Amino acid sequence: MVYWRKHGIYMKEVYTMDHDLKSDMPPDSGHIRNEFVAVERYLCREKLHLDNMLSHAVLIVESGMGMLTINSRKYPVSAGRCYYALPSMPVTLEPYFNEVSVIAVHLERLADRERIADSIRYTREYGGFAEWGELEAPTADRLLQLAKEMVQACKKSGQLASAYRDKIFHEWMYELAQANTGQEGKENGNEAMIRRIMRFVDLHYHEELNRNSLAQMAGFSPEYFSVLFKQISGKSLTDYITALRIQHMKERLLFDDIRLSDVAKEVGYKDEYYVSRRFKLEVGMSPTRYVQSSKRIVSLNPHLTMHLLALGIVPAATTAFPWGFGEYEALLHNAGCLCREWTTDFTLQELSALRPDLIIGIDNLEQSRLQDCRRLAPTFVVPWYLTDWRGHFHMLAKITRRTTQEREWTEQFERQLASVRQSLQTSGQLEQTAAIVNIREKTAFLYLNRGMGSQVVYSELNWSPPSSVRKSVVDRAASAIDLAAVLPHFKADRMIVITEPTPLAESRTEAMLAGEHWESYRQQGGQIHRAAMSRWHGYDPLSIMWQLADVKQWIR
C-alpha cells in the first residue's frame, strides 16, 4: 500500500506491505527474526514529532542538518547518519534552518513462535538488535542506497516485488547488524580495537566518558589505553573528546540561532562559563566573536561559489567549471583563490593544508567524505533538490551573516525581472513557448526542471515548454536526445541552443543548425537564440541574472 500524507510542516511518503505473520515463517522456537513492516520518507521543514511508533524504527538521514531527539537523548544529524529507536520511544526531528529528509524503516522483532494447528504463534520482542540511539554506519552510502531501493520496491505489487523487497531489507539489516552487534568478525590487533573505541567516542562524545570505562571496553589497563589512544589518534582522550565537542559547537553556533548554554548542554558541558573559556582557549576567540568573524571558506561546488560571489565573498579555494567563472575569474585570481577543476576535487591533505574555517558543499558528498570534512572545519551541506536557487542563496547568506546583501541582490533581481516581463507583455511575447537544447561533445539534452536557464525561462518568465518536451523530460532535470530529432519534434516559438565550449560540440551545433528542418524553421519566423554555456549552465544568482540579461537582449 502506498500513500502520501501532507502536513503543514512536513510531507510523509509511506509504503507498507500486507504481511500475514501467521503463515509465512517456519517455527523456530527461541530465534528472533527481523521482519519488514513499512518504510516512510519524511521531508521535514519544522519540528516533527514521531511519538506513536509501535514498531522498531531505524532512521537514515538523506540530506539536511538538524537535531534528532530519541527518548530525551539529543543527536546532531547530517546526511548519511543512522539512528535506532525502540517501540514507543518518543522521537522528534528539528531542522537547524534548512529542510531535512529522512527515511524511516520500521520492523518487527519476533520470537518464541510455535505451530498450533494451522497457525504460527509468536511474541513481539521489544529489545533491540543493537543499543538504541546513533548506530555505527561504516557503509552509510550503501545503507542509504538500500533504503532508497526499499522505497522503490514498495511502490510495486506482486509476489516477485515482495520477494525483492524482502531481499533488500534483509541485506540492509545484515549491514546494520554487522556494524553494531559486535559480530563483525572480531577485529584483531591493538590498533583495530582503539579505532573501534574512537568510533564509539565519535557517537557518544556528548555523554560522560572517562578513561577507565573506555579502557575496560577495550580490554586494556587505563595507562596502556592512554598510550595507545594518543599514539593512534594523535591526541589524548581528553583532547579528542574536546575537539569533537568544540567542532559540534562551531557548527551549531554558525548554522542556527541557539544560545551558548543550550549548545553547551548538547555536547556534554554543564557550566556555560567554563565552556566559553574552553572555546576561547581552543579557537582563539570567544563564541560571540567567532560567529561574527570573517571565515576562510572552501567551496566544494562551483554553483555555491557563484552564490558566495553574489554575496560579496571570495572563497579561499573552490572547485571550478571547465569554462571558469566568467567575468569573476579575474576577481578570484587576484584574491588568491585556489581553483580546482570539479572533476578532480581536493584531497583531504589539500583541504587540511588550506586551513578552512568553513567548508560548503551539496548533498552529493559521500558520508566518509563529509565526516572527513567535518573533522577539519564546520561543514555546511546544501540540500540541492529540496529547494530552489533562492533557498540555496538564503541558506548561504544566513550562515555567512550576509542577509543584507542577499536582500539587496534579490530586490535588484526582482526589479529587472519585472522590467523584462513588462516588455514581454507589451510586445505580446509573454505567452510564447520555448525549448532549451544543450549540445555537448558526445551527447545532447533537453532541459526543463533545473539548470541551463530553465529556471528563468519557465519559472521566472513563465514561457511554456512544448508538450513534447514535458513528455520527454517529465520530472527530471533533462533528457538525452538525438540532434536529428530536435526539429520538428520539439519545435517551439523560441529555440534556445546552448553549446559546450569545445570545437567538437561547436561543430555538432553548426551541422544541426544547417539542416533542412532548421532552415525551414527560420523561414517560418522561428526564433533561434545561441547562448553561452558559461552563462547558462549555472543554477545560482549570478547565472540567473546573466540569463535574464540575455533574454532581455533577445526580445528587443
Side-chain angles (χ1 to χ4, degrees):
M1 180 168 61
V2 183
Y3 59 96
W4 274 94
R5 293 178 185 169
K6 283 193 176 182
H7 304 256
I9 59 173
Y10 70 93
M11 294 181 68
K12 183 169 82 168
E13 189 177 10
V14 184
Y15 304 95
T16 66
M17 299 297 293
D18 295 331
H19 200 55
D20 183 6
L21 294 171
K22 292 182 178 180
S23 60
D24 69 343
M25 296 179 301
D28 187 6
S29 181
H31 177 68
I32 298 175
R33 181 165 178 166
N34 300 310
E35 288 294 319
F36 175 86
V37 174
V39 60
E40 302 173 314
R41 175 181 268 141
Y42 294 92
L43 179 57
C44 181
R45 297 185 176 91
E46 295 181 19
K47 193 170 186 177
L48 170 65
H49 295 269
L50 303 172
D51 294 341
N52 298 308
M53 295 190 297
L54 301 180
S55 58
H56 298 253
V58 178
L59 296 91
I60 304 179
V61 183
E62 278 193 282
S63 61
M65 303 176 73
M67 182 62 66
L68 179 72
T69 304
I70 302 176
N71 206 29
S72 300
R73 188 185 294 175
K74 295 182 179 293
Y75 303 92
V77 304
S78 58
R81 302 184 84 161
C82 190
Y83 307 87
Y84 181 30
L86 299 179
S88 300
M89 279 189 172
V91 177
T92 60
L93 175 62
E94 186 172 11
Y96 284 165
F97 61 82
N98 55 346
E99 298 165 318
V100 178
S101 178
V102 174
I103 295 178
V105 179
H106 296 270
L107 59 122
E108 291 279 17
R109 287 172 52 75
L110 307 173
D112 298 329
R113 290 157 293 179
E114 58 180 349
R115 186 179 297 277
I116 299 177
D118 295 327
S119 66
I120 299 173
R121 300 181 65 181
Y122 67 93
T123 60
R124 284 190 173 93
E125 172 62 45
Y126 291 97
F129 68 86
E131 182 181 351
W132 66 271
E134 185 165 5
L135 297 176
E136 287 194 37
T139 57
D141 297 315
R142 172 69 175 157
L143 290 172
L144 184 54
Q145 180 58 38
L146 288 172
K148 291 178 179 178
E149 289 182 23
M150 264 187 274
V151 170
Q152 294 303 314
C154 286
K155 294 180 178 180
K156 301 177 181 178
S157 59
Q159 190 173 12
L160 185 60
S162 177
Y164 179 63
R165 180 262 304 167
D166 283 343
K167 171 183 175 293
I168 298 171
F169 170 73
H170 288 295
E171 185 176 352
W172 179 81
M173 277 301 307
Y174 175 78
E175 297 274 357
L176 277 178
Q178 186 182 48
N180 291 277
T181 61
Q183 304 298 319
E184 57 272 30
K186 283 291 183 181
E187 296 171 299
N188 296 314
N190 293 345
E191 180 174 351
M193 179 56 70
I194 292 298
R195 293 201 180 279
R196 289 182 65 189
I197 296 296
M198 289 168 62
R199 291 199 298 270
F200 179 85
V201 174
D202 289 346
L203 299 178
H204 298 272
Y205 63 85
H206 53 285
E207 301 173 11
E208 290 188 11
L209 302 175
N210 61 74
R211 182 185 69 165
N212 289 348
S213 61
L214 294 175
Q216 185 176 14
M217 287 175 58
F220 301 130
S221 69
E223 293 76 16
Y224 187 49
F225 172 81
S226 294
V227 172
L228 281 177
F229 192 93
K230 185 168 185 178
Q231 183 182 60
I232 294 167
S233 72
K235 296 180 177 139
S236 69
L237 176 62
T238 299
D239 289 345
Y240 189 84
I241 294 173
T242 298
L244 289 171
R245 290 176 170 179
I246 294 296
Q247 195 61 37
H248 174 87
M249 291 177 66
K250 284 181 175 180
E251 289 191 345
R252 288 290 272 141
L253 292 169
L254 280 181
F255 302 161
D256 202 10
D257 296 323
I258 186 171
R259 295 183 304 176
L260 180 62
S261 58
D262 292 334
V263 74
K265 292 176 183 176
E266 287 180 7
V267 301
Y269 291 125
K270 298 178 181 179
D271 186 341
E272 177 183 351
Y273 300 102
Y274 168 77
V275 170
S276 184
R277 293 195 302 271
R278 186 74 196 214
F279 189 97
K280 186 173 183 178
L281 179 65
E282 298 293 330
V283 181
M285 62 184 76
S286 69
T288 301
R289 186 181 169 199
Y290 169 75
V291 169
Q292 296 172 347
S293 65
S294 299
K295 303 293 185 295
R296 183 174 169 82
I297 302 175
V298 172
S299 172
L300 302 180
N301 184 282
H303 294 282
L304 302 185
T305 300
M306 297 289 274
H307 281 275
L308 294 179
L309 291 170
L311 293 169
I313 299 171
V314 178
T318 179
T319 53
F321 299 120
W323 44 83
F325 292 94
E327 63 194 63
Y328 290 88
E329 194 76 27
L331 173 64
L332 291 166
H333 176 76
N334 294 335
C337 176
L338 176 62
C339 293
R340 172 70 52 81
E341 189 172 337
W342 65 351
T343 57
T344 54
D345 211 344
F346 296 101
T347 66
L348 183 60
Q349 292 73 22
E350 288 171 332
L351 282 177
S352 179
L354 288 167
R355 302 179 66 82
D357 300 314
L358 174 64
I359 299 172
I360 60 173
I362 65 172
D363 51 6
N364 64 350
L365 286 175
E366 293 184 356
Q367 174 66 8
S368 57
R369 172 75 162 170
L370 176 58
Q371 294 306 317
D372 286 340
C373 289
R374 294 184 72 193
R375 290 188 180 96
L376 292 176
T379 302
F380 186 77
V381 177
V382 174
W384 189 250
Y385 288 103
L386 295 185
T387 185
D388 64 5
W389 67 273
R390 284 184 171 85
H392 302 161
F393 196 35
H394 178 67
M395 292 176 192
L396 292 172
K398 188 169 182 180
I399 66 169
T400 57
R401 306 310 189 262
R402 295 292 181 104
T403 52
T404 299
Q405 289 84 345
E406 174 207 7
R407 184 182 66 255
E408 291 173 351
W409 190 96
T410 303
E411 289 172 353
Q412 178 188 8
F413 172 76
E414 294 295 343
R415 287 193 298 270
Q416 295 197 27
L417 175 62
S419 174
V420 173
R421 286 181 59 83
Q422 181 60 46
S423 297
L424 290 172
Q425 182 72 47
T426 302
S427 60
Q429 302 177 76
L430 194 59
E431 303 299 323
Q432 290 187 332
T433 59
I436 302 173
V437 183
N438 175 224
I439 303 174
R440 308 192 187 190
E441 287 193 345
K442 298 181 180 180
T443 56
F445 299 92
L446 279 173
Y447 271 81
L448 180 61
N449 292 311
R450 271 182 186 247
M452 217 61 69
S454 58
Q455 178 75 26
V456 166
V457 172
Y458 300 129
S459 299
E460 309 293 352
L461 297 177
N462 292 326
W463 279 343
S464 299
S467 59
S468 55
V469 171
R470 289 192 185 278
K471 291 177 182 177
S472 176
V473 183
V474 194
D475 58 354
R476 295 167 293 171
S479 66
I481 54 169
D482 180 357
L483 287 184
V486 174
L487 288 182
H489 189 58
F490 300 108
K491 181 180 177 181
D493 297 322
R494 295 179 183 272
M495 302 297 296
I496 301 171
V497 180
I498 305 164
T499 306
E500 183 179 8
T502 68
L504 181 55
E506 289 287 350
S507 176
R508 295 184 72 212
T509 302
E510 295 300 331
M512 180 191 75
L513 294 177
E516 60 178 340
H517 288 300
W518 289 84
E519 181 60 33
S520 174
Y521 175 77
R522 279 189 287 266
Q523 291 175 0
Q524 294 171 16
Q527 298 289 313
I528 301 173
H529 304 294
R530 299 290 302 273
M533 193 163 168
S534 59
R535 292 169 67 86
W536 280 69
H537 176 270
Y539 188 67
D540 57 79
L542 297 180
S543 297
I544 295 291
M545 190 73 88
W546 289 340
Q547 294 152 22
L548 187 63
D550 285 349
V551 172
K552 188 174 182 179
Q553 291 291 325
W554 298 341
I555 65 176
R556 284 182 175 177

